[in-house]
């Protein structure tokens, strides 16, 4: 422990000469940040210093605290990924479902922008001592276009390089052969520590057991309702427009768990009056709906066809509740979706 504390002190001293970021002047000298970067490089001082300086340059150039997702504003539902509450440890829980997305052709640029917006805002909901978050990826409706290996690698590369030791857990639910094709292609590039944080859960029984292990009764009930409704064909209007509160009082609220909605969405407008501090912003379309600026959902003929394909995949993935979580066969991956052969292994995330 003494050696690690000494390394933290050394790295903080080395970073003193770096010009502070205008929006977060203590980011690069904060003990928590310094410790994360050292841990991500197995406590190698030189490697941690190099990575942290690269992140400072990245944050100076991209200003992540000010990032928004213009794709969601322009096309409601462009990304379904959103924070919906916290786990029993207090870690932010971020959920996504492919059936809810209005497009299935994302790019690294729009995906990184959206994820960055989410996790930077998620940090504002974290209590002291909490430094990681949880992702729940509901694969219902996943197509190869919506989550191809090249896209997954590109997003994970940014996260591994500039948000090391931030990932607490990833739960992949209702996965299909499409997911296994993507996972196998990406897995070989990931650090063992990152792979160990992935939980692939398919059966209803194991999903319930996993939820009860990590979440409160409230969060478990919300997730089970959300997953069930996102399997309905055609997708209910309330799930398509997941940024709207339920029409009926007491109905399922797709914006998030009751405690998250009451603490971070309902009081949002009044909280914005306090201009002296940054406040948590929920999904961009939730904000647009609250402000009365959300646009009408539009689907092109090509996207309508992709949505039909996603619904077909969702039907095929609608498991009967068996406990068979064994790997299913792989799928063919077209060259346009493959990770370049020149890609490098990723550090821990």
């Amino acid at each position: 422990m003494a050696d690690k504390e000494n390394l933290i002190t050394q790295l903080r001293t080395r970073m003193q000469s770096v010009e502070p970021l205008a929006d977060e002047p203590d980011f690069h000298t904060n003990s928590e940040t310094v410790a994360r970067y050292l841990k991500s490089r197995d406590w190698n001082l030189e490697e941690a210093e190099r990575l942290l300086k690269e992140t400072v340059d990245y944050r100076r150039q991209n200003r992540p605290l000010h990032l928004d997702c213009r794709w969601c504003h322009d096309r409601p539902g462009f990304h379904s990924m959103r924070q919906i509450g916290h786990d029993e440890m207090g870690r932010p829980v971020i959920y996504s479902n492919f059936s809810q997305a209005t497009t299935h052709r994302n790019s690294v640029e729009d995906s990184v922008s959206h994820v960055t917006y989410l996790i930077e805002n998620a940090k504002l909901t974290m209590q002291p001592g909490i430094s990681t978050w949880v992702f729940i990826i509901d694969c219902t409706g996943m197509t190869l276009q919506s989550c191809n290996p090249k896209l997954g690698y590109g997003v994970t590369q940014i996260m591994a390089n500039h948000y090391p030791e931030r990932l607490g857990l990833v739960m992949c639910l209702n996965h299909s052969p499409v997911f296994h094709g993507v996972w196998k292609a990406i897995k070989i590039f990931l650090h063992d520590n990152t792979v160990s944080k992935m939980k692939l859960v398919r059966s209803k029984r194991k999903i319930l057991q996993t939820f009860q292990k990590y979440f409160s009764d409230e969060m478990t009930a919300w997730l089970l309702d959300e997953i069930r409704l996102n399997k309905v064909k055609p997708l209910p209007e309330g799930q398509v427009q997941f940024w709207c509160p339920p029409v009926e009082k007491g109905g399922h609220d797709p914006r998030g768990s009751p405690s998250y909605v009451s603490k971070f969405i309902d009081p949002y407008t009044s909280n914005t009056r306090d201009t002296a501090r940054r406040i948590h912003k929920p999904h961009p379309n939730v904000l647009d709906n609250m402000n009365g600026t959300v646009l009408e959902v539009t689907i092109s003929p090509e996207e309508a066809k992709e949505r039909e394909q996603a619904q077909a995949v969702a039907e095929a993935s609608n498991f009967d509740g068996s406990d068979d979580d064994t790997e299913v066969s792989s799928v063919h991956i077209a060259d346009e979706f493959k990770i370049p052969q020149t890609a490098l292994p990723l550090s821990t995330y």
Side-chain angles (χ1 to χ4, degrees):
M1 179 61 72
D3 290 340
K4 290 182 178 179
E5 291 178 353
N6 182 46
L7 287 170
I8 292 173
T9 300
Q10 288 187 58
L11 183 52
R12 289 187 66 188
T13 300
R14 292 189 182 193
M15 295 301 295
Q16 292 288 347
S17 61
V18 176
E19 179 185 354
L21 295 166
D23 301 320
E24 38 190 349
D26 66 341
F27 170 82
H28 62 298
T29 56
N30 179 280
S31 294
E32 186 270 339
T33 301
V34 169
R36 279 195 298 108
Y37 278 75
L38 281 164
K39 184 179 179 181
S40 74
R41 287 299 181 269
D42 295 323
W43 299 91
N44 183 304
L45 184 59
E46 282 68 30
E47 283 295 304
E49 179 184 7
R50 178 189 60 78
L51 183 63
L52 183 50
K53 286 181 176 179
E54 288 178 357
T55 295
V56 171
D57 290 340
Y58 173 84
R59 296 183 75 86
R60 197 186 310 280
Q61 178 179 349
N62 292 279
R63 301 186 71 197
L65 298 187
H66 300 275
L67 272 183
D68 201 350
C69 184
R70 60 178 176 83
W71 292 269
C72 284
H73 292 302
D74 293 342
R75 294 286 308 281
F78 198 91
H79 300 104
S80 70
M81 183 174 283
R82 58 204 186 270
Q83 182 175 352
I84 47 88
H86 297 80
D87 73 351
E88 287 281 69
M89 295 173 58
R91 299 178 296 187
V93 178
I94 297 171
Y95 169 86
S96 67
N97 173 276
F98 292 89
S99 295
Q100 291 179 302
T102 54
T103 184
H104 283 239
R105 290 188 177 274
N106 297 100
S107 68
V108 173
E109 180 186 9
D110 72 67
S111 298
V112 167
S113 179
H114 187 75
V115 172
T116 301
Y117 171 90
L118 290 179
I119 58 182
E120 290 292 345
N121 276 285
K123 286 194 286 185
L124 299 174
T125 72
M126 296 158 70
Q127 296 296 318
I130 303 299
S131 61
T132 60
W133 36 68
V134 175
F135 283 86
I136 299 178
I137 311 299
D138 182 357
C139 298
T140 301
M142 175 190 278
T143 62
L144 191 55
Q145 291 93 335
S146 61
C147 190
N148 63 75
K150 184 184 293 185
L151 173 63
Y153 176 85
V155 174
T156 307
Q157 184 178 40
I158 297 296
M159 296 298 107
N161 289 339
H162 302 303
Y163 293 90
E165 297 298 325
R166 281 293 201 182
L167 184 63
L169 180 66
V170 178
M171 296 183 192
C172 292
L173 314 175
N174 303 317
H175 44 283
S176 69
V178 173
F179 173 81
H180 277 285
V182 175
W183 175 235
K184 285 183 177 180
I186 297 177
K187 184 178 179 180
I188 59 176
F189 292 94
L190 298 179
H191 192 282
D192 289 344
N193 187 41
T194 301
V195 173
S196 69
K197 298 174 183 177
M198 300 284 293
K199 285 189 174 294
L200 277 59
V201 190
R202 217 158 69 116
S203 74
K204 292 179 180 179
R205 183 181 68 87
K206 289 189 177 179
I207 286 175
L208 177 59
Q209 289 177 343
T210 303
F211 285 175
Q212 290 176 333
K213 177 179 179 180
Y214 291 99
F215 306 128
S216 65
D217 291 343
E218 176 199 79
M219 176 63 81
T220 295
W222 186 93
L223 284 166
L224 293 176
D225 278 347
E226 181 73 11
I227 291 168
R228 174 181 58 81
L229 289 169
N230 286 334
K231 284 182 175 289
V232 176
K233 182 182 180 182
L235 196 64
E237 190 65 20
Q239 296 304 111
V240 173
Q241 298 184 15
F242 56 80
W243 47 88
C244 296
V247 175
E248 298 182 3
K249 185 177 181 181
H252 176 74
D253 192 336
R255 297 176 301 171
S257 63
S259 58
Y260 172 76
V261 170
S262 64
K263 188 172 182 178
F264 296 104
I265 294 182
D266 288 344
Y268 176 80
T269 301
S270 59
N271 287 342
T272 58
R273 297 175 188 142
D274 183 0
T275 58
R277 64 185 179 93
R278 288 182 63 228
I279 63 169
H280 167 75
K281 295 179 180 179
H283 189 285
N285 292 143
V286 172
L287 293 185
D288 290 341
N289 186 64
M290 294 171 66
N291 296 330
T293 59
V294 67
L295 301 177
E296 182 180 353
V297 177
T298 58
I299 304 290
S300 70
E302 181 183 34
E303 289 167 333
K305 185 176 181 180
E306 291 174 350
R307 173 162 284 188
E308 289 180 5
Q309 181 183 1
Q311 289 176 335
V313 172
E315 279 192 342
S317 303
N318 199 358
F319 304 110
D320 61 3
S322 69
D323 290 330
D324 181 14
D325 284 345
T326 57
E327 280 201 11
V328 292
S329 57
S330 299
V331 295
H332 171 72
I333 299 175
D335 289 343
E336 65 175 308
F337 298 137
K338 290 182 178 179
I339 299 173
Q341 293 183 350
T342 55
L344 298 174
L346 300 174
S347 59
T348 183
Y349 164 40

